Structures are given as C-alpha cells and as structure tokens.
Amino acid sequence: MHKDDFRLPIRIVERPGEPVREIYSAGEALDFLLAWSEKRSPAYDAAVEKCFAVTAELEGTDAAQEAFRRFARLTGILSADMMPHL
C-alpha cells in the first residue's frame, strides 16, 4: 500500500452508461480533478486542495478521500453502490 492510497477505492461513473471507474489514491484523484472540464465548485476546490496536500505529504489520506467522495456525490458521478442507504 502506497502512502497516498485510499483505504477503499471511490467508485465513479463519469457519464451515464459508461463503466464504473475506481479511484485508488489521492494522486489518482488529483489527476482526475485536474482533467475535469465540467463546472467547478467549492467541493471541487476542496477536493483539489486536500488531494494536493496528500501528494505534498502535508496531510493524511482520510480528508482527501472524504473531500473527493463529497465532490463525486455532489457532481452526480459517485457510483450508486457507494451512496449511503437512507
């Protein structure tokens, strides 16, 4: 396990009908975020900040994982199997 690996991958679906993609680390999440061409938001900014902090060894992965998961949920790309059951 690498130091920037998430405890569990975050599963996303970028567009309806596409296969699920798994994001395994803060570095991979940061790459995804920097390539993101859709509208940016405070959740996007927070995820970039937290993932960058992990890659710069300024912070642990838990905050980055949660920030990326929140970004994915708010933008509608979080896989349905990762959504909390209410």
Side-chain angles (χ1 to χ4, degrees):
M1 183 173 195
H2 193 268
K3 62 185 171 195
D4 77 337
D5 285 351
F6 292 153
R7 282 180 283 130
L8 294 171
I10 296 178
R11 296 168 50 86
I12 59 173
V13 178
E14 294 180 60
R15 289 170 200 75
E18 287 190 0
V20 171
R21 176 177 173 186
E22 293 185 335
I23 304 294
Y24 290 93
S25 68
E28 189 176 347
L30 184 59
D31 289 344
F32 175 85
L33 291 163
L34 294 177
W36 183 253
S37 62
E38 304 294 323
K39 182 179 175 187
R40 299 191 177 171
S41 65
Y44 169 88
D45 293 339
V48 168
E49 179 183 326
K50 295 295 184 183
C51 290
F52 179 77
V54 171
T55 63
E57 299 182 13
L58 300 173
E59 204 168 307
T61 59
D62 289 345
Q65 183 171 9
E66 184 52 40
F68 185 75
R69 181 190 310 267
R70 182 173 188 273
F71 160 78
R73 182 177 53 80
L74 292 174
T75 57
I77 64 170
L78 188 65
S79 179
D81 63 351
M82 293 206 69
M83 296 294 252
H85 297 284
L86 304 176

